[in-house]
Amino acid sequence: MNKELEHQFVTELENNQNIVHKVCTLYTSDRDSHNDLFQEITIQLWKAYPKFRGDSKFSTWMYRVALNTAITLYRKSKRRIKTQDYESVIFKIKADEYDETEEQQLKLMYKALKQLGDIDKALVFLYLEDKNYSEISETLGISEVNARVKMNRIKNKLRTILNP
Amino acid sequence: MMDELDLLKKDWQNKDDHLPKLSYNELYNMIWKKSSSIVKWILIISVLEFVLPHLLYLLPSTREGLEIYTGPGFSKYLIGASIIQYSVVVYFIYQFYKRYQEISVLDDAKKLMKKIIKTRRTVKNYIIFSLTMILFMFILVAAGIYFNDDFLNNFTLAQEAKNLNPEQLKNVLTITMLIAGVLMVLLMGAIYFFLYGRLVRKLKVNYKELKKLEI
């Protein structure tokens, strides 16, 4: 029985690991921290897995656990040195698909994203993952109206970062 | 701006190919690793906080030192203080356990942070309580020295000290006790609040951020 649960969980995780990687990409700035956070999220997911009843999709359930872990994990505030390399690997933009200004814009956007606070990041992350406001509000524990208000503020904040 | 964010969204959803891919085995090994979540740290620190003061009794010098407490005119206060202290400790352990059990990563972010902060506050209150108790013990001993002449006889004093005028000796010992007590409490408090403060600072910032929205 236990073996079966393990197998089920790891298979699900393997298929959905992109979600966790994306959270890690957003919340960390070097490979080591990325791996640490990934590992912690995996442990938390596994610990909570017996309570997963399958009444929602595995991926939906993952968002909550992953973001909660990222927001509450104690991280030493390492000064970002290696950031540049790492980001350019992860956020590589296919040059043939976009014109140059778009590419430039995207780079700036990703950079701006990194400067947001933990909560703002969580909101933007869910937004980018195409979650609606009711899902966002449930995940973070705020009302739908407040989620919208907050999202607008973040947009303004991003605008200020982009056009100082 | 809207356009830029939509552009970002499109790009974001297309970049799966650039993300790392872990194999089944790598993921399987990961689930058996030790967690380093904040909740775990709070638990470790709390257990240490509960256990450390008791370890002091194991040191021979402390045990000898404690023998003075059993001297005349003092033991009844000590027993009373111990009973109060241990009932409060049991209460704190119970509170802590209850709150610790309530923490679930499946709650929404706000609820989760609230519960972690509540659990941590229980530990903080316990620390304040035990620091107060330590200070109180020192004051009690100082008062014992000052007001009770017999009490002084319970100390094994160095030869030089015996040559001093008893009145002077009493004053010196009383003041030393008080200063030592205050210093010890300040030092322990500073270490504790520094370590713990660092641990939860980020969490508190995030929690405040979400709470701000409710106004």
Side-chain angles (χ1 to χ4, degrees):
Chain A
M1 181 57 210
N2 241 349
K3 276 266 168 257
E4 203 181 303
L5 199 71
E6 283 163 21
H7 175 70
Q8 217 176 33
F9 173 76
V10 178
T11 313
E12 290 266 34
L13 180 62
E14 195 188 7
N15 296 335
N16 293 287
Q17 59 174 298
N18 275 351
I19 295 171
V20 185
H21 281 303
K22 281 178 174 177
V23 170
C24 296
T25 310
L26 200 56
Y27 280 90
T28 62
S29 9
D30 61 82
R31 215 167 286 261
D32 283 347
S33 330
H34 181 113
N35 295 341
D36 284 351
L37 183 57
F38 190 96
Q39 180 174 312
E40 185 60 35
I41 292 174
T42 302
I43 295 168
Q44 295 299 333
L45 283 166
W46 170 235
K47 279 209 289 197
Y49 191 59
K51 286 186 203 139
F52 172 65
R53 292 181 215 291
D55 41 8
S56 58
K57 261 165 62 185
F58 184 75
S59 58
T60 316
W61 178 80
M62 274 176 93
Y63 280 105
R64 176 172 288 217
V65 179
L67 282 177
N68 271 342
T69 309
I71 292 172
T72 56
L73 190 69
Y74 171 70
R75 294 187 297 278
K76 277 172 246 148
S77 41
K78 268 185 241 156
R79 287 292 129 227
R80 293 156 188 181
I81 313 159
K82 290 176 276 182
T83 313
Q84 220 46 43
D85 295 354
Y86 182 65
E87 269 172 14
S88 54
V89 177
I90 296 293
F91 295 130
K92 206 164 192 170
I93 296 146
K94 286 172 228 138
D96 50 329
E97 281 179 28
Y98 302 106
D99 62 60
E100 216 169 295
T101 28
E102 269 194 357
E103 194 182 317
Q104 197 54 37
Q105 248 177 345
L106 275 171
K107 266 189 184 156
L108 285 171
M109 286 291 282
Y110 278 122
K111 233 177 154 174
L113 219 58
K114 285 273 181 172
Q115 291 174 39
L116 295 174
D118 284 353
I119 302 294
D120 291 1
K121 277 181 185 165
L123 245 128
V124 176
F125 173 71
L126 292 167
Y127 178 87
L128 292 176
E129 289 289 303
D130 223 9
K131 301 288 160 200
N132 59 37
Y133 279 105
S134 109
E135 278 173 280
I136 295 178
S137 89
E138 267 175 44
T139 309
L140 296 179
I142 54 180
S143 73
E144 226 177 296
V145 180
N146 284 334
R148 275 177 206 278
V149 172
K150 184 81 181 154
M151 195 61 211
N152 279 328
R153 281 191 207 147
I154 296 171
K155 283 177 189 166
N156 285 335
K157 212 185 264 179
L158 282 173
R159 192 176 298 143
T160 345
I161 298 175
L162 286 175
N163 311 301
Chain B
M1 186 62 203
M2 260 328 279
D3 296 340
E4 282 166 333
L5 208 58
D6 284 338
L7 182 71
L8 187 68
K9 197 170 182 170
K10 222 169 81 194
D11 184 67
W12 176 267
Q13 288 170 355
N14 284 331
K15 69 185 173 59
D16 286 8
D17 303 343
H18 301 290
L19 293 167
K21 273 255 171 294
L22 297 180
S23 68
Y24 182 95
N25 283 337
E26 282 174 301
L27 291 171
Y28 182 83
N29 289 332
M30 227 178 241
I31 64 179
W32 306 112
K33 292 268 168 61
K34 288 251 175 298
S35 159
S36 58
S37 70
I38 190 163
V39 180
K40 186 116 184 224
W41 278 111
I42 292 179
L43 179 67
I44 291 170
I45 294 182
S46 314
V47 170
L48 281 179
E49 289 294 341
F50 282 118
V51 169
L52 275 184
H54 297 278
L55 290 181
L56 280 180
Y57 297 135
L58 296 178
L59 297 173
S61 60
T62 324
R63 224 179 305 140
E64 269 168 38
L66 279 177
E67 275 164 21
I68 60 161
Y69 293 136
T70 51
F74 196 69
S75 56
K76 58 174 183 280
Y77 297 108
L78 190 80
I79 292 170
S82 300
I83 290 173
I84 294 171
Q85 187 177 9
Y86 280 101
S87 359
V88 178
V89 167
V90 168
Y91 169 77
F92 273 119
I93 291 177
Y94 168 72
Q95 277 281 319
F96 176 78
Y97 180 73
K98 223 176 78 188
R99 290 187 169 167
Y100 180 75
Q101 291 289 76
E102 278 172 10
I103 295 175
S104 158
V105 78
L106 296 174
D107 274 326
D108 61 59
K110 195 173 156 205
K111 232 188 245 161
L112 172 69
M113 286 192 275
K114 193 175 175 180
K115 283 179 183 170
I116 295 176
I117 289 172
K118 240 171 106 179
T119 307
R120 180 244 172 196
R121 198 176 297 140
T122 309
V123 185
K124 190 172 159 187
N125 289 341
Y126 170 72
I127 302 303
I128 292 173
F129 167 76
S130 48
L131 289 178
T132 314
M133 278 313 268
I134 291 172
L135 189 64
F136 179 69
M137 282 298 178
F138 274 96
I139 292 175
L140 210 61
V141 175
I145 296 169
Y146 193 76
F147 293 112
N148 190 342
D149 287 333
D150 292 338
F151 191 71
L152 211 52
N153 300 330
N154 290 315
F155 282 98
T156 22
L157 295 167
Q159 200 51 48
E160 301 84 33
K162 282 192 175 138
N163 299 335
L164 275 172
N165 161 2
E167 203 54 39
Q168 242 177 343
L169 179 66
K170 223 160 75 168
N171 288 340
V172 169
L173 276 177
T174 307
I175 290 166
T176 313
M177 270 299 163
L178 287 177
I179 291 174
V182 171
L183 282 182
M184 183 147 168
V185 168
L186 282 180
L187 184 74
M188 284 172 70
I191 293 173
Y192 172 75
F193 285 109
F194 175 73
L195 284 179
Y196 223 21
R198 267 181 64 110
L199 188 66
V200 287
R201 190 171 50 207
K202 206 171 164 92
L203 187 80
K204 274 182 138 173
V205 170
N206 288 341
Y207 183 64
K208 261 190 210 145
E209 173 107 35
L210 274 186
K211 263 205 105 169
K212 226 169 42 194
L213 280 173
E214 303 296 291
I215 311 160

